[in-house]
């Protein structure tokens, strides 16, 4: 694959939304800058953080980083849409500000989408880490084929959002539903699956962090929103 050169439009826009992520965001950013694939931009939306998140972001001096600073906290789906509108790439990769991408992630996912044109998105497996970066005996996502994946998402989300790379033209048709505080990723995956193939690459490309502020811990709200999404599929 062609590497990035000056004044060349990036093929991949990595979208990162951050809110009070001072403890983890530097490691998350560095994992993107360390990618073996170089033709990308990293768009970071600081969503009204009240800690030192913005200072941690500003410690990086890399022309590929674009910082958008929300003065107020608008929430994840709203900020994801801000990042999407600012993206120049053919592909949009999601990177949450507390997770870590392994160095081959972008290379493998770009290669897959370039060679599998019927796929609207591709994710990967992820391994869990704790707040100190220690590996947990916990894996995320399911490495199913495309047909099996479409059956599975009718019942539950088998993707980890921080592993997904979207075709931007597919995502721009729907954007993230700003009424869904937690499960906007599940909703977007289902909508794209209506006219595209989707799957997880059966390979671990991301380390997913579990900690006290992880949005996935808010299980009651998550379950309520998932009921709404599954109900809409039944309709």
């Amino acid at each position: 694959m062609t590497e990035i050169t000056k004044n060349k439009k990036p093929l991949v826009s990595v979208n990162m939304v951050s809110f009070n992520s001072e403890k983890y965001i530097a490691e998350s950013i560095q994992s993107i800058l360390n990618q073996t694939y170089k033709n990308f931009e990293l768009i970071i939306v600081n969503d009204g953080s009240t800690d030192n998140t913005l200072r941690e972001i500003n410690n990086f001096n890399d022309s590929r980083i674009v910082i958008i600073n929300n003065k107020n906290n608008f929430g994840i789906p709203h900020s994801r849409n801000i990042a999407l509108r600012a993206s120049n790439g053919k592909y949009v990769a999601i990177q949450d500000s507390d997770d870590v991408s392994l160095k081959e992630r972008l290379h493998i996912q770009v290669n897959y989408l370039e060679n599998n044109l019927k796929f609207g998105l591709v994710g990967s497996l992820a391994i869990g880490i704790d707040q100190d970066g220690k590996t947990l005996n916990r894996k995320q996502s399911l490495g199913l084929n495309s047909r099996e994946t479409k059956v599975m998402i009718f019942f539950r989300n088998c993707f980890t959002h921080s592993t997904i790379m979207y075709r931007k033209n597919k995502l721009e048709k729907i954007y993230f539903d700003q009424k869904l505080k937690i499960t906007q990723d599940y909703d977007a995956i289902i909508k794209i699956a209506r006219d595209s193939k989707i799957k997880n690459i059966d390979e671990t490309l991301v380390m997913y962090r579990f900690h006290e502020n992880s949005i996935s811990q808010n299980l009651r709200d998550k379950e309520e929103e998932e009921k709404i999404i599954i109900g809409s599929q039944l309709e």
Side-chain angles (χ1 to χ4, degrees):
M1 284 177 284
T2 304
E3 300 295 291
I4 192 169
T5 57
K6 287 187 177 180
N7 300 320
K8 181 177 179 179
K9 184 177 179 180
L11 190 68
V12 179
S13 296
V14 182
N15 285 188
M16 180 184 294
V17 173
S18 62
F19 175 70
N20 289 351
S21 305
E22 63 176 356
K23 186 175 180 180
Y24 308 113
I25 194 168
E27 183 181 8
S28 186
I29 292 171
Q30 193 63 56
S31 76
I32 296 300
L33 299 182
N34 288 345
Q35 292 291 302
T36 57
Y37 183 79
K38 303 299 183 184
N39 190 10
F40 68 85
E41 62 181 353
L42 172 56
I43 297 173
I44 305 173
V45 178
N46 177 40
D47 191 25
S49 295
T50 57
D51 64 358
N52 292 315
T53 294
L54 186 58
R55 185 180 70 183
E56 291 293 323
I57 298 169
N58 285 327
N59 283 337
F60 290 88
N61 182 20
D62 192 299
S63 61
R64 294 170 295 180
I65 297 176
V66 177
I67 304 169
I68 300 173
N69 190 37
N70 293 342
K71 292 183 178 180
N72 300 307
N73 178 246
F74 295 121
I76 291 176
H78 185 109
S79 294
R80 289 205 193 283
N81 287 334
I82 290 173
L84 176 58
R85 292 186 185 99
S87 296
N88 296 298
K90 177 180 178 181
Y91 304 117
V92 171
I94 303 298
Q95 169 86 6
D96 288 341
S97 60
D98 50 1
D99 297 336
V100 176
S101 286
L102 303 185
K103 64 181 182 179
E104 293 286 339
R105 177 199 169 180
L106 297 184
H107 183 102
I108 290 170
Q109 291 187 316
V110 167
N111 194 45
Y112 191 90
L113 289 175
E114 289 282 277
N115 289 287
N116 293 274
L117 301 181
K118 293 183 179 180
F119 279 78
L121 64 85
V122 64
S124 78
L125 306 185
I127 190 165
I129 56 174
D130 67 12
Q131 58 187 6
D132 299 317
K134 182 180 178 181
T135 301
L136 302 172
N137 186 24
R138 183 169 181 175
K139 293 188 176 181
Q140 295 281 111
S141 311
L142 292 174
L144 307 172
N145 64 38
S146 180
R147 184 182 296 272
E148 292 168 337
T149 300
K150 285 197 175 186
V151 173
M152 179 59 71
I153 64 167
F154 189 84
F155 301 99
R156 73 178 182 89
N157 187 4
C158 55
F159 287 84
T160 301
H161 202 211
S162 204
T163 73
I164 290 180
M165 182 178 286
Y166 295 94
R167 290 189 190 276
K168 190 179 74 168
N169 63 352
K170 297 291 185 180
L171 197 51
E172 283 179 320
K173 291 179 180 179
I174 57 170
Y175 282 89
F176 293 102
D177 189 335
Q178 295 177 187
K179 298 189 297 295
L180 299 172
K181 295 179 181 180
I182 299 175
T183 59
Q184 72 281 161
D185 57 327
Y186 187 19
D187 178 69
I189 291 164
I190 287 169
K191 289 174 179 174
I192 290 174
R194 289 171 182 166
D195 65 0
S196 301
K197 290 186 175 182
I198 61 170
K199 67 169 289 184
N200 286 310
I201 295 171
D202 195 16
E203 185 173 348
T204 300
L205 300 179
V206 172
M207 294 188 291
Y208 179 85
R209 196 182 303 271
F210 292 89
H211 55 87
E212 67 277 6
N213 296 322
S214 175
I215 194 167
S216 62
Q217 302 300 321
N218 198 344
L219 295 179
R220 180 178 296 178
D221 288 345
K222 181 173 180 285
E223 288 173 358
E224 289 301 315
E225 290 186 3
E226 285 178 343
K227 287 178 183 177
I228 294 171
I229 292 171
I230 292 171
S232 69
Q233 291 187 89
L234 288 170
E235 291 177 4

